[in-house]
Amino acid sequence: MHKLSTLALLPAVLLAAGCATLDPQVEVAEQRTMRPQPVPDVQSTNGAIFQAVNYRPLFEDHRARLPGDTLTVNIVERVQASQKSSTTVDKSGSVQAGITALPFVNPNSFGRASASGSSSNTFSGKGGTEASNNFTGTITATVIEVLPNGHLVIAGEKQIGLNKNVEIMRFSGRVDPRAIQPGNVVASSQIADARIQYKGQGQQAEAQGIGWLARFFLSVLPM
């Protein structure tokens, strides 16, 4: 009974493995938005106008610094890599041997008493790999956490629906506030642990996908 249950679960395991291989996922932060937290109304105990609890400079550009603040991310990701290799090996050799004379034997008897041999080995191999990726775009993300060192954990999501298709862009990462430029803008190349996902849902995305049965056979067939 145990063997039958194991055999019954085998196709499901192989199908799951095939789906995981053909549909990779980007580990974007699960929380992608956050509302600003209410500022506590702290009663002044020193009678001063300046209070460090709710202080924000008046004469500087607005920049994200608290949970719930937003900032714009300019996504400019260009990755190019290439590798080429070439190997050539050529080896050859020859050997010859023969008998020309022996005591008490007529020299004419050695007409066929000779041997020769040769060998040759040649190998030539070439290989090349090239990859190029270009991703540009803009997304506004929300600060969801402020780390003890002051860095901002941001995440954002953008959805665009057109007819029966939906384009989804997700982004998450960690920003050093010193990298935020005037206008509350930061480049994606200056964001640590960046996670970018752009995918589609709908009829167009389904037409480009592979059916579950085809995925099953691709995961079990050797070719």
Side-chain angles (χ1 to χ4, degrees), residues 67-137:
D69 292 349
T70 60
L71 74 162
T72 302
V73 179
N74 283 335
I75 303 175
V76 180
E77 298 292 334
R78 293 186 178 92
V79 179
Q80 292 183 349
S82 62
Q83 179 181 3
K84 294 182 180 180
S85 61
S86 177
T87 303
T88 301
V89 178
D90 191 354
K91 182 179 180 181
S92 61
S94 61
V95 62
Q96 292 182 353
I99 301 175
T100 58
L102 283 175
F104 309 107
V105 179
N106 187 358
N108 296 329
S109 302
F110 300 107
R112 298 182 179 180
S114 63
S116 64
S118 63
S119 63
S120 177
N121 188 359
T122 302
F123 172 80
S124 178
K126 293 182 180 181
T129 302
E130 184 175 354
S132 178
N133 296 284
N134 188 3
F135 192 109
T136 59

Side-chain angles (χ1 to χ4, degrees), residues 158-168 198-205:
K158 180 189 294 186
Q159 297 188 14
I160 302 175
L162 180 62
N163 294 331
K164 294 185 179 181
N165 298 302
V166 179
E167 301 294 329
I168 302 174
Y198 186 86
K199 62 184 299 184
Q201 293 180 352
Q203 296 179 350
Q204 183 177 0

Side-chain angles (χ1 to χ4, degrees), residues 24-47:
Q25 299 294 329
V26 180
E27 297 178 358
V28 184
E30 295 182 359
Q31 182 181 357
R32 289 182 286 273
T33 185
M34 184 175 185
R35 295 184 179 276
Q37 300 297 319
V39 179
D41 187 10
V42 180
Q43 297 296 330
S44 175
T45 58
N46 54 12

Side-chain angles (χ1 to χ4, degrees), residues 111-196:
R112 298 182 179 180
S114 63
S116 64
S118 63
S119 63
S120 177
N121 188 359
T122 302
F123 172 80
S124 178
K126 293 182 180 181
T129 302
E130 184 175 354
S132 178
N133 296 284
N134 188 3
F135 192 109
T136 59
T138 304
I139 187 172
T140 299
T142 305
V143 178
I144 60 177
E145 184 182 358
V146 179
L147 300 179
N149 62 349
H151 288 192
L152 310 177
V153 179
I154 64 171
E157 180 177 355
K158 180 189 294 186
Q159 297 188 14
I160 302 175
L162 180 62
N163 294 331
K164 294 185 179 181
N165 298 302
V166 179
E167 301 294 329
I168 302 174
M169 179 189 295
R170 296 188 177 100
F171 184 91
S172 66
R174 180 166 56 90
V175 181
D176 186 346
R178 293 173 295 182
I180 301 177
Q181 303 173 2
N184 201 33
V185 178
V186 63
S188 63
S189 58
Q190 295 179 309
I191 297 178
D193 303 330
R195 302 289 189 271
I196 307 172

